Amino acid sequence: MTAVTLIIVFLVVAFAIGFLLVRRHYVKLLNVAVKRAQKSEQLKSVFIDNISRTLRSPLNAITGFCDKILDEKDENMQPAMVRKTVTDISEYSKELLDFVLQIHEMSKFEGVTPTFTFIEVNLIELMASYRREALNYTKPDVTVRVTSDLSPHCRAILDTNLMHQLMMHLLSNAARQVTHGDIFIKYGCERRGLKVSICYTGMEQTEQTDHDIYAILQKEDALKDTNKSSILGLAICRAIVDMFGGEFFMETENGKKTVASFWFPCEMKDIYKDV
């Protein structure tokens, strides 16, 4: 066998091995995508049933209270009774609004097929916009501060829509728990990626962050149970970070100080320029 023949055989074998490895990689990706699609399809029907069941209760209550007022004769309409009935209607209306807001949050989360729209942004400006928005949710004695050791010129390439959803979930969760003091947004560069931490001292124990969003939403009373809880929001945060290929975790010290952190690989420029 000549040297040329050996080279040809080697190239053919190498091509075949490379082809098989590439094929194996994409078959694996396809299987993952198919499983996610099947899981999502199952979730869709269960989630719709949960929405119908959850919304039916406050809607029936509101209708019932309205009928009660309409059925009363004018001479029997005591101001105290009317006030109590209207108060009940208001409470159920707020509950209904909370459900609608949660559904809206779910509609923004693309949990089936990760699709990203990456743009280059100035990090200090981006974090400042989150700070301004978070102040709308905080109590009067709470301040929101942004700290970083990065350059004010530092830029990052990321999906701003998913980043906004991730940050506002965490900041609104912090705002619910903090009655006074500071909420710190700290960001920096770590392992060729972006790390962000939100630190605060709250009044209650932090929810666990190992919940799977699909498992949560398949529960019979998913929306009702998570209505006044941070479980759903944290599950969405974790799912978004997983989509980025990153890490998400929360730590609570003595049931008070909480640090919510996430990291994901991210191209960053001018990290320490003019620092």
Side-chain angles (χ1 to χ4, degrees):
M1 185 178 293
T2 64
V4 174
T5 305
L6 287 174
I7 293 174
I8 293 174
V9 171
F10 174 77
L11 291 176
V12 171
V13 172
F15 176 80
I17 293 174
F19 175 79
L20 290 174
L21 290 176
V22 171
R23 181 179 181 276
R24 179 181 178 184
H25 172 71
Y26 282 102
V27 167
K28 185 177 180 180
L29 291 179
L30 178 61
N31 289 335
V32 171
V34 169
K35 289 180 180 179
R36 289 176 67 92
Q38 292 173 342
K39 194 173 185 179
S40 176
E41 191 63 30
Q42 294 172 356
L43 171 65
K44 185 186 299 182
S45 59
V46 175
F47 187 47
I48 291 174
D49 289 341
N50 285 344
I51 290 176
S52 175
R53 182 166 44 249
T54 304
L55 297 185
R56 193 179 301 122
S57 177
L59 284 173
N60 286 337
I62 292 172
T63 301
F65 286 127
C66 290
D67 290 341
K68 181 179 179 180
I69 294 177
L70 294 174
D71 290 341
E72 289 289 342
K73 295 182 179 179
D74 292 342
E75 60 269 18
N76 296 329
M77 294 292 288
Q78 299 295 326
M81 182 183 69
V82 174
R83 189 178 300 109
K84 174 63 169 60
T85 305
V86 172
T87 300
D88 291 336
I89 292 175
S90 176
E91 291 178 356
Y92 279 104
S93 298
K94 291 177 181 178
E95 182 179 337
L96 186 61
L97 179 60
D98 287 337
F99 294 151
V100 172
L101 290 175
Q102 289 195 67
I103 295 171
H104 178 61
E105 289 298 324
M106 286 305 307
S107 70
K108 295 190 295 183
F109 174 67
E110 299 179 5
V112 181
T113 305
T115 56
F116 304 103
T117 304
F118 292 103
I119 62 172
E120 184 175 292
V121 294
N122 179 282
L123 278 178
I124 193 171
E125 294 177 358
L126 187 67
M127 296 299 170
S129 69
Y130 297 147
R131 174 188 174 276
R132 289 191 297 270
E133 189 169 349
L135 288 173
N136 295 324
Y137 304 103
T138 58
K139 299 174 179 64
D141 295 330
V142 177
T143 59
V144 182
R145 305 180 186 276
V146 180
T147 63
S148 178
D149 61 349
L150 300 183
S151 164
H153 305 287
C154 181
R155 293 164 291 152
I157 299 177
L158 45 78
D159 186 313
T160 54
N161 290 327
L162 287 175
M163 186 69 176
H164 177 270
Q165 188 174 358
L166 174 60
M167 288 293 296
M168 295 319 300
H169 270 306
L170 295 177
L171 287 171
S172 61
N173 180 56
R176 281 197 302 268
Q177 298 192 37
V178 180
T179 57
H180 63 276
D182 298 317
I183 298 174
F184 288 99
I185 303 173
K186 301 180 179 180
Y187 67 96
C189 180
E190 183 177 299
R191 290 178 288 159
R192 296 184 178 181
L194 175 65
K195 181 176 181 180
V196 179
S197 298
I198 297 176
C199 313
Y200 56 93
T201 300
M203 299 301 294
E204 58 187 58
Q205 186 72 24
T206 301
E207 301 281 2
Q208 296 296 315
T209 61
D210 57 350
H211 298 285
D212 177 76
I213 190 170
Y214 295 100
I216 290 175
L217 294 178
Q218 290 188 59
K219 292 181 180 179
E220 183 175 341
D221 295 322
L223 289 175
K224 183 177 180 180
D225 290 342
T226 60
N227 190 33
K228 296 183 179 180
S229 169
S230 59
I231 291 178
L232 181 59
L234 294 178
I236 292 177
C237 290
R238 181 186 175 210
I240 291 174
V241 174
D242 287 344
M243 289 167 62
F244 279 131
E247 303 167 358
F248 176 71
F249 53 91
M250 295 186 71
E251 298 176 342
T252 302
E253 300 177 2
N254 301 322
K256 296 293 183 178
K257 183 178 180 180
T258 299
V259 180
S261 302
F262 62 87
W263 168 91
F264 55 81
C266 175
E267 182 180 348
M268 301 172 67
K269 301 178 181 179
D270 298 330
I271 299 175
Y272 298 110
K273 180 181 179 181
D274 298 333
V275 173

